[in-house]
Amino acid sequence: MEMNYPELYYRIYPKAIDSINKYLKDKPMPANITEDELSYLVDEVYEKLVYECPEIDEDPVERRSRFRSLQRQFYGRRRLARDIITIIIISELLRRFNPYIFGTEYNY
């Protein structure tokens, strides 16, 4: 199997799909999703990911020095993982609610 995405994507995507399916079971076609609901979905996926890969929740040891203020700003694994989860969830919700955006036909 040729892997076009990083391994992290293949770990996150099934968990995101599962969370979206559970969310949409109660609300088949919500008109809009609030930021709180999206945050809840991201938290749920992130907790599943940390259970599977606990090293994602830890910051690298080299950034815990007392010279942190002299270093450039560092966002850490936690924030990057949450951003990737958010992107995957939003793209999947857009694909489900408006499949014509991601369709193969182009209408000009």
Side-chain angles (χ1 to χ4, degrees):
M1 180 171 114
E2 185 179 326
M3 297 180 81
N4 296 328
Y5 291 99
E7 181 183 342
L8 187 61
Y9 174 83
Y10 293 107
R11 290 181 182 266
I12 292 173
Y13 189 75
K15 294 169 186 55
I17 297 299
D18 184 47
S19 294
I20 292 170
N21 287 339
K22 280 193 241 178
Y23 172 76
L24 293 179
K25 187 181 353 177
D26 298 333
K27 305 173 186 179
M29 286 299 282
N32 56 9
I33 295 176
T34 65
E35 191 172 330
D36 292 336
E37 292 169 331
L38 181 63
S39 174
Y40 174 76
L41 288 172
V42 171
D43 290 341
E44 184 179 343
V45 173
Y46 183 75
E47 288 173 8
K48 291 178 187 177
L49 184 65
V50 167
Y51 180 75
E52 185 177 312
C53 307
E55 67 273 5
I56 289 177
D57 200 35
E58 300 169 359
D59 285 333
V61 176
E62 64 267 16
R63 295 293 182 171
R64 294 183 185 178
S65 68
R66 61 187 174 132
F67 301 108
R68 181 177 283 185
S69 63
L70 299 176
Q71 295 177 353
R72 62 188 166 136
Q73 192 171 4
F74 180 70
Y75 294 105
R77 295 178 189 156
R78 177 181 302 162
R79 185 165 176 183
L80 292 174
R82 291 180 64 82
D83 288 347
I84 293 170
I85 293 168
T86 304
I87 291 167
I88 291 172
I89 288 175
I90 289 172
S91 67
E92 182 64 23
L93 288 171
L94 285 173
R95 187 187 67 77
R96 288 185 185 200
F97 295 140
N98 194 356
Y100 301 109
I101 292 175
F102 298 104
T104 57
E105 297 179 20
Y106 297 102
N107 297 325
Y108 293 109

